[in-house]
C-alpha cells in the first residue's frame, strides 16, 4: 500500500516529514525516518530472543556510535522503500522527472551490490523504463513492479527490514539512514569498478542522486538543502575519487547541522564520520594541536567500508543462546553448513510472507481498478442522462414553436401546400390557354367572313 497522495502535495519540513512517515500503513516495525552516517546498533543480546525464536543478526563487531560494517539488507530496504513508496506516490512522471528516474534506475542497475534476484529485477525494470519516452503514472509504476515480481521468482525486490539502520524507537533512523548507505555504496562501487576506465563518468552517480532527491524524496526541506550542496558537483568533481569524498563531506555537513535535532536518535548521536575509534589513521594533529581528517586515509577507509565485499548479509543467522561465540567467524563454511536447516526455515517463512504480501497487493490494485471502473460507469451514465435531458428540452422547444405540430405534421403540411400550389397553377394555365385558343378561333372565323364578303361583294 502506498502513501496518501496528499503527502507529496505539501512542502514538508523535516519535522513534518518525520511525523507523517510515522503514521504510514504497511511499514515494518523498523523505522523509516531519521538520519545518520554510522549504522544503527543491533538489539542488545540481553534483550532476549527475537520474534523468530532464536535468531539474531550475525557480526556484533563495532559499536553503533562508531559505525559498523554496513548491512546489505539496509541497502535493500532503502531500495524497496524508494521504488515501492516514494516513486509510486507520484501522480505523473514526465519530462525532467522521468529523466531523473531513468538516471536513478540506471545507476542502480549498474552499481547496486545486489543479489541475483534483485539484479534481475533491476535489469527488467530498467529495460521497461527505457522504453517509456513520454510519461508514466504511479499506477503504471506499481503495476510494472508487481508484474516483474509475479512473472518470475528470480526477479524480486527484497523485503523491507532495517538491521544496522534500526533506531532505538520506530520514529528514528530507518529510510534516510538506508538511503545514505545506498548512495555511499553506489559511489564507492562505481569507482572501484570503473576507476581505471578513461571513459568513466565520475559525476554520474552524484547527478542521479541529486535528481532523485529533487523530485522524489519526501522531505522537501531536506531535498532543498541537498540541492544547494549539489550545485557544487561540477566544480568539485575532477577525478573518480572526488565523488566519494564529495558525498562524505556532504554527509558530515548534514550530521553537523542535525546534531541535537529533535529527529536525532539519542542512542545513535550524529557524529563526524569516521570516528577516531574506528579509524585512528584517518586523523592527524596539525600545528595548532587540533585533530583533523587525513583525506587520503579517509578515502582508503571509505573504499573499504562501503565496498560490496564488506556488506554483511542478514541471511547468515545464529542461534543466540548457543552460538554467541561464533559471531566473529560467521562466514565460516563449517558454521554455515550447520545452520542450513535454520536458513531453510527462514526462507520458507519469508516466501510465505512474500506470497501473502503479493496477494494483498494484488487485491489492493484490483480494488483500485474496480473503483475506477465504477466511477467511469457512473460518469458515462450521468453524461447519457444529461444528453437525454438536453434532447428532450430541444424537442419540447420545437413543438412549442410549431403550434403543437410534430415534424410529421409539418412535413404533411408542406407537401399539401406544394400540391395545392401546383394544382392552382395547372388550373390557371388551363383556363388561360383555353381562353386564348377560343379567342384565336373567333378571330380567324371573322377574318374568313370578311374575305368572303369582299370577294363576292355581298357584305
Amino acid at each position: 500500500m502506498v502513501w496518501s497522495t496528499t503527502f507529496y502535495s505539501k512542502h514538508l519540513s523535516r519535522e513534518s516529514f518525520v511525523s507523517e512517515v510515522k503514521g504510514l500503513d504497511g511499514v515494518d516495525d523498523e523505522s523509516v525516518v531519521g538520519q545518520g552516517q554510522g549504522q544503527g546498533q543491533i538489539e542488545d543480546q540481553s534483550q532476549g530472543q527475537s520474534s523468530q525464536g532464536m535468531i539474531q543478526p550475525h557480526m556484533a563487531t563495532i559499536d553503533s556510535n562508531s559505525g559498523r560494517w554496513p548491512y546489505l539488507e539496509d541497502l535493500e530496504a532503502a531500495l524497496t522503500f524508494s521504488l515501492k513508496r516514494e516513486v509510486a506516490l507520484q501522480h505523473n512522471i514526465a519530462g525532467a522527472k522521468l529523466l531523473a528516474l531513468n538516471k536513478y534506475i540506471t545507476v542502480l542497475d549498474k552499481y547496486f551490490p545486489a543479489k541475483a534476484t534483485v539484479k534481475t529485477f533491476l535489469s527488467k525494470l530498467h529495460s521497461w523504463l527505457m522504453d517509456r519516452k513520454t510519461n508514466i503514472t504511479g499506477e503504471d509504476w506499481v503495476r510494472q513492479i508487481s508484474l516483474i515480481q509475479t512473472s518470475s521468482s528470480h526477479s524480486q525486490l527484497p523485503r523491507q527490514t532495517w538491521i544496522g539502520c534500526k533506531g532505538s524507537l520506530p520514529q528514528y533512523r530507518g529510510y534516510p539512514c538506508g538511503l545514505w548507505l545506498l548512495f555511499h555504496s553506489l559511489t564507492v562501487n562505481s569507482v572501484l569498478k570503473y576507476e581505471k576506465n578513461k571513459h568513466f563518468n565520475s559525476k554520474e552517480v552524484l547527478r542521479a542522486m541529486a535528481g532523485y532527491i529533487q523530485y522524489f524524496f519526501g522531505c522537501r526541506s531536506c531535498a532543498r538543502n541537498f540541492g544547494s550542496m549539489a550545485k557544487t558537483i561540477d566544480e568539485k568533481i575532477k577525478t573518480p575519487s572526488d565523488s566519494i569524498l564529495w558525498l562524505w563531506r556532504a554527509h558530515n555537513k548534514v550530521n553537523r547541522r542535525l546534531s541535537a535535532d529533535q529527529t536525532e536518535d539519542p542512542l545513535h548521536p550524529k557524529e563526524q564520520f569516521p570516528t577516531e575509534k574506528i579509524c585512528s589513521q584517518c586523523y592527524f594533529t596539525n600545528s595548532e594541536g587540533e585533530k583533523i581528517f587525513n583525506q587520503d586515509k579517509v578515502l582508503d577507509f571509505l573504499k573499504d567500508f562501503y565496498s560490496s565485499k564488506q556488506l554483511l548479509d542478514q541471511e547468515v543467522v545464529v542461534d543466540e543462546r548457543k552460538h554467541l561465540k561464533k559471531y566473529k567467524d560467521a562466514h565460516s563454511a563449517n558454521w554455515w553448513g550447520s545452520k542450513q536447516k535454520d536458513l531453510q526455515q527462514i526462507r520458507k517463512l519469508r516466501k510465505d510472507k512474500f506470497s501473502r504480501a503479493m496477494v494483498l497487493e494484488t487485491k489492493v490494485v484490483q480494488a483500485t481498478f474496480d473503483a475506477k471502473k465504477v466511477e467511469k460507469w457512473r460518469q458515462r451514465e450521468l453524461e447519457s442522462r444529461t444528453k437525454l435531458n438536453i434532447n428532450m428540452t430541444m424537442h419540447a422547444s420545437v413543438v412549442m414553436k410549431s403550434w403543437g405540430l410534430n415534424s410529421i405534421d409539418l412535413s404533411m403540411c408542406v407537401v399539401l401546400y406544394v400540391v395545392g400550389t401546383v394544382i392552382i397553377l395547372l388550373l390557371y394555365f388551363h383556363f388561360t390557354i383555353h381562353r386564348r385558343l377560343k379567342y384565336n378561333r373567333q378571330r380567324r372565323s371573322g377574318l374568313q367572313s370578311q374575305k368572303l364578303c369582299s370577294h363576292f361583294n355581298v357584305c
Side-chain angles (χ1 to χ4, degrees):
M1 187 178 297
V2 298
W3 302 354
S4 169
T5 54
T6 57
F7 180 67
Y8 265 79
S9 65
K10 306 173 184 176
H11 293 285
L12 297 179
S13 64
R14 179 178 174 80
E15 293 74 16
S16 301
F17 175 63
V18 171
S19 62
E20 288 282 354
V21 176
K22 285 168 61 178
L24 293 177
D25 294 331
V27 181
D28 291 347
D29 290 339
E30 289 78 11
S31 166
V32 294
V33 293
Q35 200 163 348
Q37 189 158 351
Q39 308 306 303
Q41 185 177 17
I42 299 177
E43 294 182 68
D44 187 80
Q45 296 168 6
S46 63
Q47 290 179 355
Q49 301 175 10
S50 69
S51 59
Q52 301 259 350
M54 301 185 298
I55 57 173
Q56 285 287 1
H58 74 65
M59 294 295 288
T61 54
I62 306 172
D63 65 36
S64 62
N65 291 336
S66 58
R68 69 167 57 79
W69 303 117
Y71 282 93
L72 178 58
E73 286 211 358
D74 287 322
L75 273 71
E76 292 177 338
L79 173 69
T80 300
F81 192 95
S82 167
L83 299 184
K84 297 188 73 173
R85 300 181 189 279
E86 292 210 303
V87 177
L89 276 177
Q90 306 301 311
H91 177 68
N92 185 55
I93 305 174
K97 185 180 290 188
L98 181 60
L99 180 61
L101 182 59
N102 260 301
K103 291 181 178 179
Y104 178 58
I105 299 300
T106 297
V107 298
L108 288 175
D109 188 26
K110 291 170 67 175
Y111 308 124
F112 186 78
K115 302 172 187 175
T117 54
V118 181
K119 190 68 177 175
T120 303
F121 173 87
L122 289 174
S123 178
K124 290 183 178 181
L125 184 63
H126 185 206
S127 299
W128 173 81
L129 188 60
M130 291 296 290
D131 293 334
R132 310 278 85 78
K133 303 300 182 183
T134 54
N135 70 297
I136 60 174
T137 64
E139 292 177 358
D140 296 333
W141 181 261
V142 172
R143 191 181 304 113
Q144 185 60 27
I145 287 179
S146 299
L147 180 63
I148 293 175
Q149 292 189 110
T150 54
S151 64
S152 172
S153 60
H154 300 292
S155 56
Q156 301 293 326
L157 268 179
R159 66 176 184 175
Q160 182 186 308
T161 303
W162 306 113
I163 306 300
C165 281
K166 183 177 181 179
S168 59
L169 291 175
Q171 65 265 32
Y172 296 134
R173 315 191 77 224
Y175 174 59
C177 167
L179 193 62
W180 276 115
L181 275 182
L182 175 62
F183 287 171
H184 284 295
S185 178
L186 291 175
T187 54
V188 168
N189 287 292
S190 66
V191 171
L192 293 178
K193 189 174 182 179
Y194 293 108
E195 185 175 15
K196 296 181 180 180
N197 188 333
K198 63 180 181 179
H199 299 296
F200 172 60
N201 181 3
S202 56
K203 303 174 185 177
E204 178 186 19
V205 175
L206 293 180
R207 285 173 175 166
M209 294 178 198
Y212 174 81
I213 293 295
Q214 178 182 355
Y215 292 107
F216 299 100
F217 192 54
C219 175
R220 302 317 302 159
S221 62
C222 307
R224 286 191 293 271
N225 290 331
F226 191 86
S228 299
M229 293 188 293
K231 294 178 181 179
T232 65
I233 290 177
D234 291 334
E235 175 187 352
K236 299 293 184 180
I237 308 302
K238 304 299 181 184
T239 66
S241 296
D242 288 343
S243 62
I244 299 175
L245 292 175
W246 184 93
L247 188 61
W248 164 70
R249 295 189 192 97
H251 198 169
N252 273 337
K253 286 180 182 178
V254 173
N255 278 350
R256 189 181 301 111
R257 184 174 67 250
L258 297 179
S259 179
D261 186 79
Q262 66 174 354
T263 60
E264 181 182 45
D265 190 335
L267 297 186
H268 307 287
K270 301 183 187 303
E271 300 177 307
Q272 296 301 287
F273 185 85
T275 62
E276 189 175 3
K277 186 174 182 180
I278 64 170
C279 184
S280 58
Q281 69 271 23
C282 293
Y283 291 81
F284 72 92
T285 305
N286 61 12
S287 58
E288 299 178 358
E290 299 176 341
K291 289 201 172 185
I292 60 176
F293 283 115
N294 182 335
Q295 295 195 19
D296 292 336
K297 297 297 183 181
V298 169
L299 178 61
D300 293 337
F301 173 81
L302 294 174
K303 285 183 177 180
D304 184 49
F305 188 85
Y306 291 110
S307 67
S308 57
K309 295 180 181 179
Q310 295 293 358
L311 293 175
L312 303 182
D313 191 350
Q314 169 63 0
E315 289 284 354
V316 183
V317 295
V318 297
D319 185 323
E320 183 185 8
R321 295 180 298 179
K322 298 180 180 180
H323 298 281
L324 294 179
K325 295 181 180 180
K326 293 188 177 182
Y327 281 163
K328 293 184 179 179
D329 60 344
H331 292 290
S332 166
N334 294 332
W335 181 88
W336 173 260
S338 67
K339 298 306 296 178
Q340 289 301 309
K341 292 183 179 180
D342 289 343
L343 288 172
Q344 290 176 1
Q345 182 180 4
I346 293 170
R347 286 168 179 163
K348 182 179 179 181
L349 291 173
R350 287 183 176 179
K351 185 177 180 180
D352 293 342
K353 181 180 179 181
F354 173 76
S355 299
R356 292 194 298 271
M358 288 302 301
V359 170
L360 178 60
E361 186 172 356
T362 303
K363 289 181 179 179
V364 170
V365 173
Q366 185 62 41
T368 303
F369 290 159
D370 292 344
K372 288 188 175 182
K373 288 181 180 179
V374 171
E375 184 62 27
K376 288 183 179 179
W377 178 83
R378 289 178 178 175
Q379 189 66 25
R380 287 197 299 268
E381 185 69 16
L382 180 61
E383 291 177 355
S384 63
R385 290 183 180 180
T386 303
K387 290 181 180 179
L388 180 61
N389 290 335
I390 293 174
N391 292 335
M392 293 180 64
T393 303
M394 293 177 63
H395 180 72
S397 177
V398 171
V399 170
M400 288 297 293
K401 292 180 180 179
S402 304
W403 301 286
L405 300 176
N406 56 27
S407 58
I408 297 177
D409 295 336
L410 292 175
S411 299
M412 292 180 65
C413 289
V414 171
V415 171
L416 291 174
Y417 175 78
V418 172
V419 171
T421 302
V422 171
I423 292 174
I424 292 173
L425 290 174
L426 289 175
L427 290 174
Y428 170 76
F429 284 118
H430 171 75
F431 288 111
T432 301
I433 293 172
H434 180 73
R435 187 175 59 186
R436 286 183 180 179
L437 290 174
K438 183 177 180 181
Y439 172 77
N440 289 336
R441 284 198 302 269
Q442 291 176 351
R443 185 178 179 184
R444 283 197 299 271
S445 176
L447 290 175
Q448 289 177 357
S449 299
Q450 289 179 2
K451 286 181 180 180
L452 288 175
C453 290
S454 64
H455 184 272
F456 293 104
N457 296 317
V458 292
C459 295

